[in-house]
Amino acid sequence: MLCTCYPAPPTVSCQANNFSAVPRALPPGTQRLFLQNNLIGALRPGSFGPSLLTLWLFSNNLSAIYPGTFRHLQALEELDLGDNRHLRSLEPDTFQGLERLQSLHLYRCQLSSLPGTIFRGLVSLQYLYLQENSLVHLQEAIAGPANHPRRKASLSVSGLWISSCDPLPTPTWTALLLPHPGLGPDCPAPCASDADSDSNDSNSNPAFIEHQDDLFADLANLSHLFLHGNRLRLLTEHVFRGLGSLDRLLLHGNRLQGVHRAAFRGLGRLTILYLFNNSLASLPGEALADLPSLEFLRLNANPWACDCRARPLWAWFQRARVSSSDVTCASPPERRGRDLRALREADFQACPPAAPTRPGGRARANSSSNHLYGVAEAGAPPADPSTLYRDLPAEDARGSPGGDAPTEEDYWGGYGSEDRRGEQTCPGAACQAPPDSRAPARAPGLAAPLLCLLILAPHHL
């Protein structure tokens, strides 16, 4: 079978050839290898040369990536494994040695969990695409006694409710609040204290597990994290630890029911946060107060409870200057349909005194928090950029100098779509690479790409 080869940079394009395995005898020195839209089922060590900079394997039939497959690809900068619907798990050392990797695509697979060390050593990573998987949590679960000193969070199998409880004397209170039937809508559920759970161990009470919070610890250069379209139910304390350079965090379209007050701690550079289309009834104002650079916030399509639980979030909105979506109340009945941001102090007069909340969000030229999706604006918000792409640094898309503050469209304008990218199929065996900014550059004076004959004998199974 024939593939398309380009001399500058050395590129081999074998897309849409119905290959069931990686071709052998790839030209030495190949820097860009396009194998998308084939039928490759497994990747093994020795399949790729050490000169690779870009490797596209999206839209195959991958179900297994054997340890050591990428270990010697120390020059690799971009790896796309997305849209492999049979890829359900990854080994902890799958990406070991990829210290120069800048972009990692794992979107639209069937990953339900991630090993705690899966991203260890990826110190150059800037773009991480994990959307449209089946992730339930972002932290490695470790069974252990409920009173273990290293326990970060306690989960209840019967459900979750998160609040911003005021600090209380010892025994210290855990971050997660367990649901309590029969409580009124204005009364938060009782906290579960360490003392209450000391008598419970992993054998007598399996509802309690330990979660590690170092999944992203080595990703200090990450700027984009896409987690939308998963099954996440909870954002625990320090879940994003290590992401000090993160600019955009997309969490919409999950099943979020709770957010710890310290979930976003350390994300001082975050400008865009999407939490719409989840199951959030409340959100601690303290969590958003940890985001001093926040500019765009989407909270719509959540069942917001506009009782006393809404007070911390309402108080944060009074001080913050961000572009926000609507925050429509779902309860109590007398406030259904109102916007949480438009509530008044009198609406909370029956509530306990609120703890002070630090303001969050960046001061902007446009002082209205309704800049994009204001309460008084007619019509629906713009279409959701639910599949967002890369290859433009965050600072490239900005408003005109000296003008108004950038809008959300300014930030996302120019980004492509992974759905469209997945449709870039090859009509024949000797097709050319797609004519876009990521296509290999043609050498000056070269009339057409070269055709190279590859040995298609698969590696030994």
Side-chain angles (χ1 to χ4, degrees):
M1 301 263 318
L2 296 178
C3 294
T4 306
C5 296
Y6 299 83
T11 300
V12 176
S13 178
C14 297
Q15 55 180 322
N17 273 325
N18 292 324
F19 292 167
S20 59
V22 176
R24 302 188 64 179
L26 291 168
T30 298
Q31 295 182 6
R32 301 174 65 173
L33 178 57
F34 301 138
L35 286 167
Q36 68 270 24
N37 294 299
N38 280 291
L39 302 174
I40 300 171
L43 300 178
R44 292 174 169 80
S47 299
F48 310 107
S51 299
L52 276 180
L53 301 177
T54 300
L55 178 57
W56 287 5
L57 285 156
F58 64 86
S59 299
N60 273 278
N61 284 338
L62 289 178
S63 61
I65 301 176
Y66 288 86
T69 295
F70 305 121
R71 185 167 299 162
H72 301 295
L73 306 186
Q74 298 179 357
L76 194 66
E77 298 177 353
E78 180 181 7
L79 176 60
D80 195 332
L81 298 168
D83 195 28
N84 279 283
R85 307 301 178 98
H86 302 292
L87 190 59
R88 301 180 183 276
S89 63
L90 295 169
E91 295 296 323
D93 60 348
T94 297
F95 306 116
Q96 182 177 344
L98 302 183
E99 296 182 356
R100 297 187 182 180
L101 192 68
Q102 299 177 18
S103 183
L104 176 58
H105 301 256
L106 292 167
Y107 59 90
R108 207 176 300 126
C109 297
Q110 289 294 325
L111 300 174
S112 59
S113 63
L114 296 169
T117 58
I118 188 68
F119 304 126
R120 188 69 51 84
L122 303 186
V123 295
S124 300
L125 198 65
Q126 299 178 38
Y127 302 91
L128 180 55
Y129 298 85
L130 292 167
Q131 70 266 31
E132 299 181 51
N133 279 282
S134 300
L135 296 174
V136 177
H137 56 78
L138 295 176
Q139 297 169 311
E140 188 174 22
I142 300 178
N147 61 346
H148 193 284
R150 292 184 63 237
R151 189 186 67 204
K152 299 298 182 183
S154 300
L155 300 185
S156 168
V157 295
S158 61
L160 296 167
W161 192 86
I162 306 302
S163 177
S164 54
C165 285
D166 294 331
L168 296 173
T170 54
T172 57
W173 298 77
T174 62
L176 302 184
L177 310 182
L178 307 183
H180 190 284
L183 291 174
D186 291 340
C187 182
C191 296
S193 70
D194 286 341
D196 294 337
S197 58
D198 280 346
S199 60
N200 299 322
D201 57 27
S202 58
N203 295 322
S204 61
N205 188 355
F208 294 99
I209 57 177
E210 180 187 356
H211 276 248
Q212 304 301 314
D213 56 11
D214 58 354
L215 179 65
F216 305 114
D218 285 357
L219 307 187
N221 290 307
L222 196 74
S223 63
H224 292 57
L225 178 55
F226 295 161
L227 285 163
H228 51 284
N230 280 282
R231 301 177 182 177
L232 301 175
R233 295 183 180 274
L234 174 69
L235 298 182
T236 55
E237 181 181 9
H238 302 304
V239 64
F240 301 111
R241 185 195 303 272
L243 300 181
S245 298
L246 196 65
D247 182 76
R248 303 170 196 195
L249 176 59
L250 274 60
L251 289 159
H252 56 281
N254 277 278
R255 302 176 183 178
L256 290 174
Q257 300 177 28
V259 176
H260 189 278
R261 70 177 70 89
F264 304 130
R265 189 72 50 83
L267 304 186
R269 297 184 181 181
L270 194 73
T271 65
I272 293 179
L273 175 61
Y274 284 177
L275 288 167
F276 66 88
N277 194 20
N278 277 287
S279 299
L280 292 170
S282 63
L283 181 64
E286 297 94 323
L288 297 179
D290 283 329
L291 305 175
S293 300
L294 190 64
E295 297 186 19
F296 303 108
L297 176 65
R298 295 201 61 184
L299 298 175
N300 53 294
N302 281 287
W304 297 109
C306 292
D307 47 34
C308 290
R309 286 173 287 178
R311 186 170 187 170
L313 179 58
W314 173 84
W316 179 83
F317 269 117
Q318 307 314 300
R319 298 173 176 84
R321 301 175 70 180
V322 298
S323 293
S324 170
S325 68
D326 59 289
V327 188
T328 304
C329 300
S331 65
E334 63 272 17
R335 295 175 186 170
R336 185 177 297 125
R338 294 180 61 182
D339 194 299
L340 181 150
R341 299 170 301 169
L343 297 178
R344 299 165 298 175
E345 182 70 38
D347 293 318
F348 302 104
Q349 62 183 359
C351 300
T357 301
R358 303 187 311 278
R362 181 181 301 174
R364 309 175 68 232
N366 187 328
S367 60
S368 171
S369 64
N370 306 326
H371 176 54
L372 287 182
Y373 314 112
V375 177
E377 293 179 18
D384 302 335
S386 59
T387 50
L388 302 165
Y389 208 50
R390 78 238 185 249
D391 290 336
L392 290 178
E395 60 271 20
D396 281 359
R398 290 291 187 269
S400 58
D404 291 337
T407 66
E408 194 171 15
E409 286 78 7
D410 292 329
Y411 276 80
W412 291 117
Y415 274 72
S417 165
E418 292 190 346
D419 288 328
R420 293 198 307 269
R421 184 169 179 265
E423 295 169 359
Q424 293 174 359
T425 58
C426 177
C431 63
Q432 298 185 15
D436 61 10
S437 60
R438 299 180 300 279
R442 182 175 297 180
L446 187 64
L450 303 176
L451 298 180
C452 51
L453 181 62
L454 301 182
I455 302 175
L456 299 182
H459 292 270
H460 292 295
L461 300 177

